[in-house]
Amino acid sequence: MVGGGAMNSVLLARAELFAASDDFYLPPPLPPTPGAIVRAEAAQVAFSAPGMPGVIPAAATRMMYVSSDTHDAPTAVVGTYLQPSVPWTGPGERPLIAYAGGTKGQGSQCASSKLMTQVVQYQPPADILFEYDLVALYTLLARGMAVVVTDYHGLGTPYVHDYLNRKAQAYALLDAARAALQLPGTGLNPGTPVALYGYSQGGMASAGAAELQSRYAPELNIRGAYVGGPVVDDEYFIGYNDGRAAMAQAFAWILNGITADYPTTRPILDAELNDTGKAILADALGKCAVPTGLAQDHPRTSEWTTSGEPITAVIDRNPELKSAFGEQRIGMLTPSVPILTASAMNDEGVPYAPVREMAASWCGSGVPVQLDSNAEIPTISGLVGTHVMAFFPSLAASQQWLTDRLAGLPAPNNCGALP
């Protein structure tokens, strides 16, 4: 792992880069109130969604707001509020969708608020990232729903993005909603109906927010949560995908986030990782998805360790690491809102079994859960695999489900016969 001095040098260099290029992302001293807006400005959103006519039908506001890190300390997060240009024709007042995006990477250039103005992010020699959430954003806005998109903790700002961190992602999403409800001229108010929405990394964020909302943001009028293709357990995710080049970079992002958030784990990984492993984690800090880099050249994590064991074995025999990874698991708390979760049974990257286990746990606590399993998409490997393909069939169904929750209709559930 990058040692403490090396990590501090990386963070200092990043802070200096922000100060020189775009100081909007450089946090000032923060007030202690989660959801408080630190700064806001109009943003240009010069993009269109694939297969959709015209540009995204919305005006954008970029804002920095106060959130909480995984240890509940104040931190700064940037997000983008999208005010639809079409009226809301559904029941009641215009709702707000708190949108959690899919995996973007760990480099600061990967933040959604930056990608929304560029569509395609290119980092030589071959690191290209497309803002693939555009289709979902377009369809939500076309229904007249207001949307706020969080960058997550550490994307855009000088902090390390703690990829797949249960609490930090959840807090960033809930505080994005709090901040958006305070923006002037939107027609929103503290009682505006809110829904949580996310797929993949965003599905994990939406799930975490649903679990933590009653304690962390009880004042929000949340009507339901769409939890699509969520990563449920970070360690299981690594073990399930170990050896797959397409997923190897994600392992490094997770480890970088763990060591940034839990400093006592850093010397453990320093001792456990060999020079290859340390170089991979350092390289990944600046990468976006879809990435190329050292991780793809060494997809088996047994190549990263001094012992020749996979990373999951290293985690299992180190209590500090095991505890930190255990804190990231979804499904241990009880959401206070109805849940629609969707997952492909043949998902090659984000496995179905933990998603079903999560749904069963929530069902056992009395939560109305609808688990939609897609068995029709075959297992597809590569850049655009089953996990990516499964995102699109659920778009229409998930948004109609949200509309029904906003209308006050009883939430369906299949807890008695989970697929």
Side-chain angles (χ1 to χ4, degrees), residues 15 17 24 57 70 121 127 145 150-151 159 192 259 265 272 279 330 342 378:
L17 175 62
F24 185 94
T70 196
Q121 171 72 238
D127 185 5
M145 297 174 171
T150 181
D151 283 357
Y159 319 117
T192 289
T259 57
T265 66
E272 294 282 0
I330 298 292

PDB file of all heavy atoms in Angstrom, residues 15 17 24 57 70 121 127 145 150-151 159 192 259 265 272 279 330 342 378:
ATOM      1  N   ALA A  15      -4.451  18.631  -3.942  1.00  0.00           N
ATOM      2  CA  ALA A  15      -4.982  19.896  -3.443  1.00  0.00           C
ATOM      3  C   ALA A  15      -4.386  21.074  -4.211  1.00  0.00           C
ATOM      4  O   ALA A  15      -5.086  22.027  -4.554  1.00  0.00           O
ATOM      5  CB  ALA A  15      -4.699  20.031  -1.957  1.00  0.00           C
ATOM      6  N   LEU A  17      -3.254  20.986  -7.246  1.00  0.00           N
ATOM      7  CA  LEU A  17      -3.817  20.959  -8.595  1.00  0.00           C
ATOM      8  C   LEU A  17      -5.181  21.620  -8.623  1.00  0.00           C
ATOM      9  O   LEU A  17      -5.491  22.434  -9.502  1.00  0.00           O
ATOM     10  CB  LEU A  17      -3.931  19.506  -9.069  1.00  0.00           C
ATOM     11  CG  LEU A  17      -4.621  19.278 -10.425  1.00  0.00           C
ATOM     12  CD1 LEU A  17      -3.834  19.958 -11.532  1.00  0.00           C
ATOM     13  CD2 LEU A  17      -4.765  17.785 -10.701  1.00  0.00           C
ATOM     14  N   PHE A  24     -13.327  25.695  -7.070  1.00  0.00           N
ATOM     15  CA  PHE A  24     -14.664  25.348  -6.604  1.00  0.00           C
ATOM     16  C   PHE A  24     -14.618  24.060  -5.787  1.00  0.00           C
ATOM     17  O   PHE A  24     -15.383  23.887  -4.844  1.00  0.00           O
ATOM     18  CB  PHE A  24     -15.611  25.159  -7.797  1.00  0.00           C
ATOM     19  CG  PHE A  24     -17.047  24.917  -7.397  1.00  0.00           C
ATOM     20  CD1 PHE A  24     -17.947  25.976  -7.323  1.00  0.00           C
ATOM     21  CD2 PHE A  24     -17.510  23.637  -7.085  1.00  0.00           C
ATOM     22  CE1 PHE A  24     -19.271  25.764  -6.938  1.00  0.00           C
ATOM     23  CE2 PHE A  24     -18.821  23.420  -6.713  1.00  0.00           C
ATOM     24  CZ  PHE A  24     -19.705  24.488  -6.633  1.00  0.00           C
ATOM     25  N   PRO A  57     -33.023  17.603 -20.675  1.00  0.00           N
ATOM     26  CA  PRO A  57     -34.016  18.670 -20.491  1.00  0.00           C
ATOM     27  C   PRO A  57     -33.991  19.254 -19.077  1.00  0.00           C
ATOM     28  O   PRO A  57     -34.892  19.048 -18.277  1.00  0.00           O
ATOM     29  CB  PRO A  57     -35.337  17.930 -20.761  1.00  0.00           C
ATOM     30  CG  PRO A  57     -35.066  16.525 -20.302  1.00  0.00           C
ATOM     31  CD  PRO A  57     -33.624  16.258 -20.630  1.00  0.00           C
ATOM     32  N   THR A  70     -17.147   8.467   6.932  1.00  0.00           N
ATOM     33  CA  THR A  70     -17.557   7.198   7.526  1.00  0.00           C
ATOM     34  C   THR A  70     -17.472   7.189   9.048  1.00  0.00           C
ATOM     35  O   THR A  70     -18.059   6.331   9.704  1.00  0.00           O
ATOM     36  CB  THR A  70     -16.715   6.043   6.937  1.00  0.00           C
ATOM     37  OG1 THR A  70     -17.344   4.803   7.231  1.00  0.00           O
ATOM     38  CG2 THR A  70     -15.309   6.049   7.503  1.00  0.00           C
ATOM     39  N   GLN A 121     -14.548  11.495 -20.796  1.00  0.00           N
ATOM     40  CA  GLN A 121     -13.324  11.894 -20.129  1.00  0.00           C
ATOM     41  C   GLN A 121     -12.200  11.013 -20.644  1.00  0.00           C
ATOM     42  O   GLN A 121     -12.309   9.775 -20.626  1.00  0.00           O
ATOM     43  CB  GLN A 121     -13.483  11.703 -18.617  1.00  0.00           C
ATOM     44  CG  GLN A 121     -12.231  11.875 -17.795  1.00  0.00           C
ATOM     45  CD  GLN A 121     -11.780  13.313 -17.703  1.00  0.00           C
ATOM     46  OE1 GLN A 121     -10.662  13.636 -18.084  1.00  0.00           O
ATOM     47  NE2 GLN A 121     -12.632  14.178 -17.201  1.00  0.00           N
ATOM     48  N   ASP A 127      -7.332   5.616 -21.062  1.00  0.00           N
ATOM     49  CA  ASP A 127      -8.276   5.571 -19.949  1.00  0.00           C
ATOM     50  C   ASP A 127      -9.461   6.467 -20.302  1.00  0.00           C
ATOM     51  O   ASP A 127      -9.373   7.689 -20.250  1.00  0.00           O
ATOM     52  CB  ASP A 127      -7.581   6.063 -18.667  1.00  0.00           C
ATOM     53  CG  ASP A 127      -8.459   5.925 -17.443  1.00  0.00           C
ATOM     54  OD1 ASP A 127      -9.553   5.361 -17.560  1.00  0.00           O
ATOM     55  OD2 ASP A 127      -8.044   6.391 -16.372  1.00  0.00           O
ATOM     56  N   MET A 145     -39.350  15.015 -13.067  1.00  0.00           N
ATOM     57  CA  MET A 145     -38.779  14.842 -11.729  1.00  0.00           C
ATOM     58  C   MET A 145     -37.507  15.662 -11.598  1.00  0.00           C
ATOM     59  O   MET A 145     -36.655  15.651 -12.485  1.00  0.00           O
ATOM     60  CB  MET A 145     -38.459  13.373 -11.472  1.00  0.00           C
ATOM     61  CG  MET A 145     -39.664  12.444 -11.481  1.00  0.00           C
ATOM     62  SD  MET A 145     -39.152  10.702 -11.332  1.00  0.00           S
ATOM     63  CE  MET A 145     -40.753   9.899 -11.101  1.00  0.00           C
ATOM     64  N   THR A 150     -25.078  13.119  -6.651  1.00  0.00           N
ATOM     65  CA  THR A 150     -23.902  13.300  -5.806  1.00  0.00           C
ATOM     66  C   THR A 150     -22.644  12.801  -6.503  1.00  0.00           C
ATOM     67  O   THR A 150     -22.673  11.810  -7.229  1.00  0.00           O
ATOM     68  CB  THR A 150     -24.060  12.568  -4.461  1.00  0.00           C
ATOM     69  OG1 THR A 150     -22.889  12.788  -3.663  1.00  0.00           O
ATOM     70  CG2 THR A 150     -24.273  11.074  -4.646  1.00  0.00           C
ATOM     71  N   ASP A 151     -21.536  13.503  -6.263  1.00  0.00           N
ATOM     72  CA  ASP A 151     -20.226  13.024  -6.729  1.00  0.00           C
ATOM     73  C   ASP A 151     -19.656  11.947  -5.812  1.00  0.00           C
ATOM     74  O   ASP A 151     -18.682  11.295  -6.179  1.00  0.00           O
ATOM     75  CB  ASP A 151     -19.216  14.182  -6.759  1.00  0.00           C
ATOM     76  CG  ASP A 151     -19.396  15.098  -7.950  1.00  0.00           C
ATOM     77  OD1 ASP A 151     -20.258  14.835  -8.806  1.00  0.00           O
ATOM     78  OD2 ASP A 151     -18.670  16.115  -8.019  1.00  0.00           O
ATOM     79  N   TYR A 159      -9.925  14.823  -1.101  1.00  0.00           N
ATOM     80  CA  TYR A 159      -9.897  13.590  -0.321  1.00  0.00           C
ATOM     81  C   TYR A 159      -9.763  12.367  -1.230  1.00  0.00           C
ATOM     82  O   TYR A 159     -10.046  12.428  -2.419  1.00  0.00           O
ATOM     83  CB  TYR A 159     -11.186  13.440   0.503  1.00  0.00           C
ATOM     84  CG  TYR A 159     -11.694  14.695   1.153  1.00  0.00           C
ATOM     85  CD1 TYR A 159     -12.932  15.232   0.802  1.00  0.00           C
ATOM     86  CD2 TYR A 159     -10.948  15.350   2.127  1.00  0.00           C
ATOM     87  CE1 TYR A 159     -13.416  16.387   1.396  1.00  0.00           C
ATOM     88  CE2 TYR A 159     -11.423  16.506   2.737  1.00  0.00           C
ATOM     89  CZ  TYR A 159     -12.663  17.024   2.358  1.00  0.00           C
ATOM     90  OH  TYR A 159     -13.136  18.161   2.948  1.00  0.00           O
ATOM     91  N   THR A 192     -40.880  18.300   0.423  1.00  0.00           N
ATOM     92  CA  THR A 192     -40.943  17.713  -0.918  1.00  0.00           C
ATOM     93  C   THR A 192     -40.713  16.200  -0.871  1.00  0.00           C
ATOM     94  O   THR A 192     -39.798  15.729  -0.194  1.00  0.00           O
ATOM     95  CB  THR A 192     -39.869  18.366  -1.819  1.00  0.00           C
ATOM     96  OG1 THR A 192     -40.248  19.711  -2.107  1.00  0.00           O
ATOM     97  CG2 THR A 192     -39.717  17.609  -3.132  1.00  0.00           C
ATOM     98  N   THR A 259      -7.840   2.123   3.519  1.00  0.00           N
ATOM     99  CA  THR A 259      -6.676   2.643   4.232  1.00  0.00           C
ATOM    100  C   THR A 259      -6.789   4.143   4.505  1.00  0.00           C
ATOM    101  O   THR A 259      -6.257   4.635   5.495  1.00  0.00           O
ATOM    102  CB  THR A 259      -5.376   2.359   3.466  1.00  0.00           C
ATOM    103  OG1 THR A 259      -5.459   2.917   2.145  1.00  0.00           O
ATOM    104  CG2 THR A 259      -5.117   0.873   3.380  1.00  0.00           C
ATOM    105  N   THR A 265      -5.255   0.350   9.357  1.00  0.00           N
ATOM    106  CA  THR A 265      -5.079  -0.742   8.396  1.00  0.00           C
ATOM    107  C   THR A 265      -3.921  -0.488   7.433  1.00  0.00           C
ATOM    108  O   THR A 265      -3.473  -1.420   6.757  1.00  0.00           O
ATOM    109  CB  THR A 265      -6.356  -0.960   7.561  1.00  0.00           C
ATOM    110  OG1 THR A 265      -6.587   0.185   6.721  1.00  0.00           O
ATOM    111  CG2 THR A 265      -7.564  -1.195   8.458  1.00  0.00           C
ATOM    112  N   GLU A 272       1.781  -6.407   4.042  1.00  0.00           N
ATOM    113  CA  GLU A 272       1.225  -7.550   3.307  1.00  0.00           C
ATOM    114  C   GLU A 272       1.396  -7.449   1.792  1.00  0.00           C
ATOM    115  O   GLU A 272       1.422  -8.459   1.093  1.00  0.00           O
ATOM    116  CB  GLU A 272      -0.272  -7.702   3.622  1.00  0.00           C
ATOM    117  CG  GLU A 272      -0.582  -8.075   5.062  1.00  0.00           C
ATOM    118  CD  GLU A 272      -0.340  -9.552   5.354  1.00  0.00           C
ATOM    119  OE1 GLU A 272       0.079 -10.287   4.434  1.00  0.00           O
ATOM    120  OE2 GLU A 272      -0.560  -9.958   6.503  1.00  0.00           O
ATOM    121  N   ALA A 279       2.388  -0.688  -6.081  1.00  0.00           N
ATOM    122  CA  ALA A 279       2.367   0.108  -7.313  1.00  0.00           C
ATOM    123  C   ALA A 279       0.966   0.133  -7.917  1.00  0.00           C
ATOM    124  O   ALA A 279       0.523   1.167  -8.443  1.00  0.00           O
ATOM    125  CB  ALA A 279       3.368  -0.459  -8.318  1.00  0.00           C
ATOM    126  N   ILE A 330     -23.990  -4.304   3.463  1.00  0.00           N
ATOM    127  CA  ILE A 330     -25.380  -3.865   3.415  1.00  0.00           C
ATOM    128  C   ILE A 330     -26.286  -5.012   3.884  1.00  0.00           C
ATOM    129  O   ILE A 330     -25.970  -6.182   3.720  1.00  0.00           O
ATOM    130  CB  ILE A 330     -25.765  -3.465   1.973  1.00  0.00           C
ATOM    131  CG1 ILE A 330     -24.900  -2.287   1.487  1.00  0.00           C
ATOM    132  CG2 ILE A 330     -27.243  -3.112   1.865  1.00  0.00           C
ATOM    133  CD1 ILE A 330     -25.157  -0.996   2.191  1.00  0.00           C
ATOM    134  N   ALA A 342     -33.284  -4.770  -7.896  1.00  0.00           N
ATOM    135  CA  ALA A 342     -33.234  -5.531  -9.141  1.00  0.00           C
ATOM    136  C   ALA A 342     -31.816  -6.033  -9.358  1.00  0.00           C
ATOM    137  O   ALA A 342     -30.845  -5.327  -9.064  1.00  0.00           O
ATOM    138  CB  ALA A 342     -33.668  -4.655 -10.315  1.00  0.00           C
ATOM    139  N   PRO A 378     -27.958 -13.458 -20.567  1.00  0.00           N
ATOM    140  CA  PRO A 378     -26.940 -14.492 -20.334  1.00  0.00           C
ATOM    141  C   PRO A 378     -25.690 -13.893 -19.699  1.00  0.00           C
ATOM    142  O   PRO A 378     -25.512 -12.678 -19.665  1.00  0.00           O
ATOM    143  CB  PRO A 378     -26.647 -15.001 -21.746  1.00  0.00           C
ATOM    144  CG  PRO A 378     -26.951 -13.832 -22.632  1.00  0.00           C
ATOM    145  CD  PRO A 378     -28.105 -13.123 -21.987  1.00  0.00           C
TER     146      PRO A 378
END
